[in-house]
Amino acid sequence: MTPGDETRFTLAAFNQLPPAAQLLCVWEQGYYLAARPAGATGLARIYQVGAFFVEIHFHTPSDFEILRAFHDPIHLQPYLDQIDLNALFPE
């Protein structure tokens, strides 16, 4: 399976890919969800790829690394403050 395949990746298949192929998979099949500060000058972004999530840490726009890929939504906790739920509950 390659990132260009029409089928969705599983977490296990994603974890077997080399880092460059993982990034390609995120760019082609991922949906950006949210961002949060990471470190002194960095930014972490979370993407949904099929049934799992991928967190990428950007040191600069061209210097980044995949921090982790996971199923458990508990790891989304640091991003929840970035989501405005007010629009879902009009007064």
Side-chain angles (χ1 to χ4, degrees):
M1 183 181 305
T2 63
D5 288 348
E6 292 302 316
T7 58
R8 291 284 181 185
F9 272 82
T10 64
L11 180 58
F14 180 84
N15 285 331
Q16 295 299 313
L17 294 172
Q22 288 179 338
L23 286 171
L24 183 60
C25 177
V26 172
W27 298 156
E28 289 183 350
Q29 298 187 25
Y31 296 97
Y32 170 78
L33 298 176
R36 66 176 175 85
T41 59
L43 182 69
R45 292 182 179 173
I46 193 81
Y47 297 83
Q48 179 184 1
V49 180
F52 61 94
F53 303 95
V54 178
E55 187 174 33
I56 300 177
H57 182 216
F58 290 83
H59 305 284
T60 68
S62 62
D63 180 19
F64 49 88
E65 64 184 322
I66 291 179
L67 292 180
R68 59 183 165 181
F70 56 90
H71 278 127
D72 192 343
I74 192 75
H75 299 298
L76 298 174
Q77 184 66 39
Y79 296 92
L80 295 181
D81 290 342
Q82 307 301 317
I83 301 169
D84 182 8
L85 299 178
N86 290 325
L88 298 176
F89 304 102
E91 294 182 25

